[in-house]
Amino acid sequence: MSDYGSSLDKAREDFFAEAQELIDGLGRDVLALDARLKQNAPAHELINDVFRGVHTLKGLTGLFGATLMLSVSHELEDVLDDLRLGRLALSPEVLDIVFGAVELYGKLLIAERGQAPEPTGEVRALLNALGNAGVQGADARASPIARYELDPALLGVLTEYEEHRLRAAIESGAHLFKLRVTFSLMSIDTALEDLKQRARTYGEIITYLPSASATSGDDIELEVILASPDSAVTVADALADLSVAVEEIARAQPLPAPPRMGSRLSPTSSLLPPFADLVAPQGIDAPRDSLGPPSLALGASLRSVSQTVRVDIRKLDNLMNIVGELAIVRTSLLEVVERLRLRAGQREIATDLQRLHRAFERHLAKMQGGILEVRMVPLGQAFEKLARIVRQLSREHDKEVNLVVTGAETEIDKLIVEELSDPLMHMIRNSIDHAIESPHERARVGKPAAGTIVVNAYQKGNQVVIEVEDDGRGIDEDRVVASALRLGMITHDEARDLPRRDILSLLFRPGLTTRDAAGDTSGRGVGMDVVKTNIAKLGGIIDVSGESGIGTKITITMPITLAIIRVLMVSVAGRIYAVPLPAIEEAIAFDERLVRAYDGREVLTQRGATLPICRLRKLFGHDAAPALPTEPRGRAGFVVIASVGGRRAGFVVDKLLAHQDIVIKSLGKTLRGVRGFAGAAELGDQRVGLVVDMAQLIDDALDYSGVHHQPAGALS
Amino acid sequence: MSAAELTCLVVEDSPMMRQLLVFALARIKNLRVVEADDGFDGLRKLAAQKFDIIVTDINMPIMDGLKLVKRVRSDPAHQDTPIVIITTEGAKEDRQRALALGANAYITKPIQAPQVIAQVKLLLKLDA
C-alpha cells in the first residue's frame, strides 16, 4: 500500500471540506432558527436539520480523532435531541449556546488544521453551558397517539423524532390523514419534496413509508401521514392534481377536552408500551400554522437534492492558466495568418485559417467564461457570518442592531469571498462597538432605539461594490485630527486645512483610534489599516464617508475576479506595462504646455477639474531613456486617467498599444515587496509585461500626508 | 472462501462517511460495494439487483434507515438479506426500533474500520 499515506491525506482534506460545509450549513440553519424564534414561527424542521448536521459532524470528527470537536458535538447533540423531541423549549438563551457552538466549530476546525492553537478554554466554557442547558428531569407522560386508529406496523417505523412530531400534532388538535401516492422511483426525491412543499401550507407531513404492497417495476407507493387542522375535503382539494388518495384516520375514542399546548396533564391510556415512556412536548410550536418564509425550507431541500461537486480552487487556477497559454497560442496563430496572407498564392489558405482562428477564439472565450463562472460564488457566503456576529455583539453590548443585507446574490470570485470575510467582520465590529449608540443614547438624540447596519452589494462593470453603512454617531473629525496630531501623523499646519476626505482617510493609518479606552471588541488602534491592507492585496480599495451624528458609510470596491483581467497595454520608454481596464476612465493626448504646478505637484485642468498627474517615465526610473519626439503643438504621449474608489489621477505614458485579456501571475517571493505592481503577465509574443496596481499608484500620487511612502517601484 | 463475487449496498448520506465505509469494505476480498445516498436511492439500487448484505445509516434526510429496513424486510426479493445499521451511541431508541424491524446488527459511530469489516464478514459467514 504505497499510496496509503497519500490517500489518508486526501481523506483528511475531504474531512476538512465536508466538516466546513456542515459548519456553514449549521450557521445558516441556526440563523434561520433565530428568525423563526423571533417571529414565533414553527421551527421543528430547522431544529431537526441542525440536529442532523451536528450528528453527521460528530460521526466525522470521531473518525478523525478530533477530540475537542467530538466532545462539543456530543454535548450539543444531546441538547439538540432534547430540543427536537420537545424535552427542552427553544429559548434565546439556548440558541445563544448553539450559536456559540457553531462559532467554536469554525475555530476548532482551524485549530485541527494546525493553523491556530486549540481554544481549550472556550471549549470548556461551552461544554459547561451545554451541560447546564440539558434537561434536568424528564417529564414523562402517557402517549396521546392511542387516540387514533393508526396501523401498528406504521407506528413501528416511526423514528423517535417522528413519533414526537405526531404526538405534538395530536395534542394541538390536528386531524390525521393517510395519503396514498405513487411516485416513480427515479424521481421520488423531487416529487416528494414537491409534495412536502405543497402540504406545508395545510399541515405537517409526519412520516412517509414505502407501502408494503408490491409495487410494479419502477414505481413506488408511499403512505404519507399528514397532520392538519383542516378538513379532509380541504386537504383533498389542495392536493387534487397530484392524484393522491386522502383518507382521514379515525379517532379510536371520543376526544377528551382538547388539551392545551404545554399542559402537563394529559391522561390517556397507552397502547404502545415501548414508546409510551417517552416524554411529551412542551412549549414547542404547533404545526398548525406553517406560514414561515418558505424560501428557507426550499433552499434546504434544494441543497439536499442538488448535484454538486467540490473542486479545489487550485485546479480551477490551473485550468485558467491553460486558457492563458491557449490565448497565447491564439495570438501567435494570428501572426502566422498575417504572414501567410502576404504571400502570393496563399490567400485562400490564409482565409480558411483565419476562419478557424475566429472559431478558436470564440470557443476559447466561452471556455474562459465557463471557468470564471465556476469560480463565482454569491457574496452571501461572506454575509452569513456577519449576521451571527451582529447578533452576538449586539447582545454583548446591550445594543439593538438590525442587519439589513441586500445584494447577497452578487457574484464574486471564490477566493475574494474568503478573503472578504475578515475585513467585513471587522467593519461590523467597529460599527457596533463604536458607532451604534446605546438604545438610551439613541432615544435622547431622537433616533429609533434599534440601530441599523445596512450591507449592500452590487456589481458595477467589472467590479463589485460593497457598502457597509450604519446609522450610528458617525465619525468625529475633530477627534480624528486630534488623534493624528498626537501620534505625529500630521503637523499642525497640515491639520489646519486638511480636506474632509483626507481626514477620513487618516482612519486607515496604522495606530489611529478615536477611542479613549480600548473597547472589548475593537478600538485598540489596529484594525482599519489592516482592513485596508487586506482589501488592497485583493486589488480593491476602501473608502469612508459619513456625517458626524448621522452615520458612517464604508465602501469597498473589489475586482470581480483575480484570475483574469482586461488590460490596456501601454508603453513607457520602450517597455510594456499593463493597466487594468476597470481602473481606467479615459485616455487623452498629453500636452506638455497645459501642465501647471500646484502644491508642489504637476496637475492638468481637465473639464474644469484639477487632475494630478504622474509621469511614469520618471516614477519607473526611465528618465535616461531618449525623450519622445515632441509633436509640433507640444503634444507628446498620452495621459491615462485612472480612478479607483472615487480617487482620480492621470498617468503619462508614451504610447497606447492595445486591449488584451491577461492571466495575472504573482511576481514571486523576492519581488513581492515592490510597490505599484500587481503582478506580471505573458503578452503572447514571449515577452512579459508588468501589471500596474492602480490603487497603489493613485494612493502614492495623491498622498497628502506628512509621512512619505517609499516611491512606487522601490523595494520596501 | 467462495470465488463468486459478493455484493454490498452501502446507504449513507454523508459522502465522507460513505467513502470511509467503502474504503473499509474494500478490504474484504471479492466484495463489490454499491453506494446509495439515502433510503430511496437504496431502494432504487435494490430494485435493480440483489445484494448479499446491506449497510445503512439510520439518520438520513429524505428517507431514513428505519423505513428502508422495514421495506427490505417486507419485500420477498430481499427479506433475507442481512442488514447492518449504523447509529450513534445516543440514539438507543431508534436503534432498538431498527433491530425490532429486522436489522441484524448495528455499528455505532464513530465507526472503526476493523469493526465494520468484522461485522460484515460475520454476517456473510466469511472467515474472520
Side-chain angles (χ1 to χ4, degrees):
Chain A
M1 287 245 232
S2 62
D3 59 353
Y4 185 74
S6 78
S7 69
L8 261 187
D9 284 349
K10 167 101 172 52
R12 233 179 126 67
E13 270 313 303
D14 285 353
F15 160 66
F16 285 125
E18 189 170 330
Q20 188 63 55
E21 228 165 69
L22 283 167
I23 295 169
D24 292 348
L26 282 174
R28 276 192 295 271
D29 288 344
V30 175
L31 268 178
L33 205 51
D34 186 44
R36 297 281 172 96
L37 184 66
K38 280 185 183 141
Q39 298 160 7
N40 258 329
H44 52 266
E45 283 179 44
L46 276 167
I47 294 177
N48 201 34
D49 284 349
V50 174
F51 171 79
R52 198 162 41 229
V54 171
H55 179 82
T56 308
L57 198 55
K58 181 178 143 188
L60 285 182
T61 51
L63 207 71
F64 278 88
T67 42
L68 282 178
M69 288 182 88
L70 181 64
S71 48
V72 169
S73 305
H74 197 75
E75 295 292 323
L76 185 60
E77 189 189 28
D78 282 354
V79 168
L80 288 166
D81 203 25
D82 286 345
L83 279 173
R84 81 185 183 123
L85 295 178
R87 295 175 197 143
L88 181 69
L90 184 64
S91 64
E93 291 71 32
V94 173
L95 202 53
D96 274 351
I97 300 174
V98 179
F99 262 110
V102 175
E103 278 307 306
L104 193 52
Y105 270 139
K107 289 186 192 165
L108 283 169
L109 198 62
I110 294 171
E112 199 57 45
R113 276 175 179 274
Q115 290 161 348
E118 289 190 329
T120 38
E122 285 175 69
V123 170
R124 211 172 305 123
L126 184 80
L127 288 180
N128 265 333
L130 283 170
N132 293 334
V135 173
Q136 258 50 42
D139 165 26
R141 59 179 168 151
S143 169
I145 291 174
R147 284 185 217 143
Y148 283 85
E149 286 179 347
L150 283 161
D151 182 359
L154 184 132
L155 291 176
V157 289
L158 292 184
T159 60
E160 198 179 355
Y161 172 68
E162 288 168 338
E163 189 181 315
H164 158 69
R165 295 306 310 158
L166 178 61
R167 215 191 292 250
I170 295 175
E171 303 232 324
S172 76
H175 304 279
L176 294 185
F177 300 97
K178 180 150 78 179
L179 318 180
R180 279 180 186 279
V181 57
T182 302
F183 289 131
S184 149
L185 196 48
M186 291 317 290
S187 61
I188 189 152
D189 306 38
T190 44
L192 196 59
E193 201 46 54
D194 189 38
L195 177 69
K196 273 185 177 172
Q197 290 298 328
R198 297 274 295 272
R200 189 165 285 148
T201 326
Y202 302 93
E204 179 186 358
I205 289 185
I206 303 291
T207 185
Y208 33 86
L209 167 70
S211 92
S213 57
T215 36
S216 67
D218 300 331
D219 287 346
I220 182 167
E221 190 191 56
L222 286 188
E223 263 181 41
V224 181
I225 302 296
L226 173 79
S228 166
D230 295 317
S231 71
V233 179
T234 314
V235 172
D237 273 0
L239 304 172
D241 59 317
L242 288 179
S243 52
V244 178
V246 179
E247 178 193 328
E248 180 158 8
I249 299 171
R251 288 169 207 258
Q253 59 190 65
L255 187 71
R260 274 167 295 136
M261 278 301 294
S263 156
R264 293 186 164 242
L265 300 165
S266 175
T268 38
S269 62
S270 169
L271 294 182
L272 296 158
F275 311 141
D277 56 348
L278 289 169
V279 288
Q282 37 170 314
I284 283 235
D285 48 88
R288 192 193 307 274
D289 166 20
S290 303
L291 295 174
S295 57
L296 278 169
L298 188 65
S301 69
L302 283 177
R303 225 187 310 140
S304 61
V305 295
S306 68
Q307 293 187 313
T308 53
V309 287
R310 266 197 296 263
V311 181
D312 187 331
I313 195 131
R314 279 170 298 190
K315 288 185 183 165
L316 292 179
D317 279 343
N318 201 13
L319 282 180
M320 195 50 102
N321 278 335
I322 296 172
V323 170
E325 306 290 334
L326 284 176
I328 292 165
V329 171
R330 193 206 67 194
T331 311
S332 312
L333 190 63
L334 190 61
E335 284 166 18
V336 175
V337 173
E338 291 303 324
R339 283 215 308 274
L340 211 54
R341 199 202 294 278
L342 296 175
R343 274 196 210 161
Q346 308 282 1
R347 290 200 69 124
E348 205 173 322
I349 296 177
T351 312
D352 284 352
L353 199 55
Q354 184 159 33
R355 202 176 311 123
L356 285 175
H357 168 262
R358 272 204 298 272
F360 181 55
E361 185 173 17
R362 216 167 36 242
H363 292 303
L364 193 60
K366 274 189 197 159
M367 187 157 150
Q368 195 177 77
I371 297 173
L372 278 181
E373 210 178 293
V374 175
R375 295 173 63 101
M376 293 293 166
V377 292
L379 261 174
Q381 287 193 359
F383 293 167
E384 274 159 15
K385 291 179 190 153
L386 299 183
R388 282 213 298 272
I389 290 289
V390 167
R391 188 181 182 281
Q392 189 191 334
L393 288 180
S394 55
R395 284 179 74 89
E396 278 171 18
H397 289 253
D398 272 331
K399 290 178 181 175
E400 288 174 47
V401 182
N402 292 324
L403 178 71
V404 179
V405 175
T406 54
E409 71 289 347
T410 312
E411 293 200 319
I412 196 165
D413 194 292
K414 167 90 177 157
L415 281 182
I416 299 183
V417 161
E418 298 198 335
E419 297 297 325
L420 270 178
S421 283
D422 284 352
L424 283 173
M425 208 174 288
H426 198 93
M427 285 154 58
I428 296 277
R429 278 175 189 276
N430 267 335
S431 283
I432 298 177
D433 195 27
H434 300 313
I436 306 251
E437 310 89 335
S438 65
H440 179 71
E441 199 181 331
R442 291 180 66 87
R444 216 186 48 214
V445 296
K447 291 183 183 177
T452 302
I453 298 177
V454 178
V455 178
N456 179 31
Y458 55 92
Q459 192 178 338
K460 187 176 158 191
N462 277 330
Q463 294 176 318
V464 167
V465 179
I466 304 168
E467 298 165 346
V468 178
E469 191 170 5
D470 66 59
D471 65 346
R473 60 172 67 95
I475 293 162
D476 185 338
E477 287 164 33
D478 294 341
R479 285 176 75 173
V480 174
V481 171
S483 178
L485 278 171
R486 200 167 55 239
L487 293 165
M489 286 176 184
I490 51 172
T491 64
H492 282 274
D493 280 348
E494 283 168 329
R496 214 160 296 132
D497 46 21
L498 205 56
R500 193 178 142 65
R501 195 189 178 97
D502 297 314
I503 294 177
L504 294 178
S505 73
L506 285 170
L507 286 173
F508 297 112
R509 302 285 295 278
L512 192 123
T513 176
T514 55
R515 255 276 158 106
D516 301 326
D520 225 358
T521 324
S522 49
R524 293 185 186 89
V526 283
M528 288 314 278
D529 62 311
V530 177
V531 170
K532 183 179 178 173
T533 313
N534 286 343
I535 296 286
K537 250 188 241 158
L538 300 170
I541 191 141
I542 187 164
D543 206 21
V544 63
S545 62
E547 275 315 305
S548 183
I550 293 174
T552 312
K553 175 160 147 187
I554 298 176
T555 308
I556 296 178
T557 310
M558 301 294 301
I560 229 165
T561 180
L562 298 175
I564 196 148
I565 51 172
R566 194 113 237 259
V567 294
L568 172 67
M569 315 298 291
V570 300
S571 88
V572 177
R575 289 168 181 83
I576 296 177
Y577 295 93
V579 185
L581 217 49
I584 300 179
E585 274 188 0
E586 61 180 318
I588 56 173
F590 177 55
D591 189 336
E592 191 74 60
R593 294 169 306 178
L594 298 178
V595 178
R596 293 178 296 121
Y598 174 78
D599 198 11
R601 163 182 300 115
E602 288 187 313
V603 300
L604 283 174
T605 303
Q606 192 224 6
R607 295 191 200 110
T610 302
L611 179 77
I613 60 167
C614 167
R615 293 172 196 259
L616 289 184
R617 271 179 170 249
K618 199 169 159 200
L619 187 69
F620 293 160
H622 300 320
D623 306 63
L628 275 188
T630 304
E631 286 179 30
R633 282 167 33 241
R635 284 162 57 151
F638 295 86
V639 184
V640 174
I641 301 176
S643 130
V644 184
R647 295 148 173 265
R648 295 170 79 237
F651 295 90
V652 182
V653 303
D654 296 350
K655 282 183 210 157
L656 306 179
L657 301 173
H659 285 179
Q660 195 170 331
D661 283 333
I662 56 156
V663 177
I664 191 161
K665 304 222 163 115
S666 122
L667 288 176
K669 268 186 195 143
T670 39
L671 295 176
R672 191 168 291 156
V674 178
R675 277 184 66 80
F677 296 106
E682 282 177 82
L683 304 177
D685 48 3
Q686 320 269 304
R687 284 191 298 167
V688 171
L690 286 168
V691 182
V692 300
D693 180 343
M694 267 303 157
Q696 253 171 35
L697 287 190
I698 293 179
D699 256 11
D700 286 359
L702 298 182
D703 190 9
Y704 282 94
S705 69
V707 179
H708 289 286
H709 291 296
Q710 282 182 312
L715 275 169
S716 60
Chain B
M1 200 189 291
S2 123
E5 188 183 62
L6 295 166
T7 50
C8 173
L9 177 64
V10 169
V11 189
E12 162 70 63
D13 60 312
S14 156
M16 185 76 217
M17 289 296 267
R18 203 164 61 231
Q19 202 181 320
L20 284 153
L21 282 168
V22 171
F23 190 68
L25 291 168
R27 289 196 233 158
I28 302 178
K29 263 188 201 159
N30 273 336
L31 186 73
R32 192 166 65 83
V33 181
V34 173
E35 301 170 47
D37 56 20
D38 79 86
F40 283 125
D41 197 27
L43 288 186
R44 276 196 282 270
K45 304 281 155 64
L46 283 163
Q49 69 171 106
K50 247 182 100 73
F51 288 90
D52 294 291
I53 189 164
I54 300 169
V55 178
T56 178
D57 191 12
I58 286 296
N59 201 326
M60 291 182 288
I62 312 180
M63 182 169 139
D64 62 65
L66 290 187
K67 316 295 188 271
L68 181 67
V69 173
K70 167 79 179 172
R71 171 76 189 184
V72 168
R73 282 290 167 261
S74 56
D75 186 335
H78 303 290
Q79 58 188 356
D80 299 323
T81 310
I83 303 176
V84 181
I85 54 165
I86 302 165
T87 71
T88 43
E89 264 168 79
K92 281 205 188 74
E93 184 66 37
D94 285 344
R95 180 158 75 228
Q96 282 165 14
R97 291 179 194 198
L99 293 173
L101 287 169
N104 302 69
Y106 69 86
I107 299 170
T108 49
K109 286 182 187 176
I111 56 166
Q112 312 276 337
Q115 202 191 352
V116 178
I117 294 167
Q119 194 59 260
V120 168
K121 277 187 161 181
L122 191 71
L123 287 168
L124 288 174
K125 303 189 172 64
L126 299 173
D127 306 330

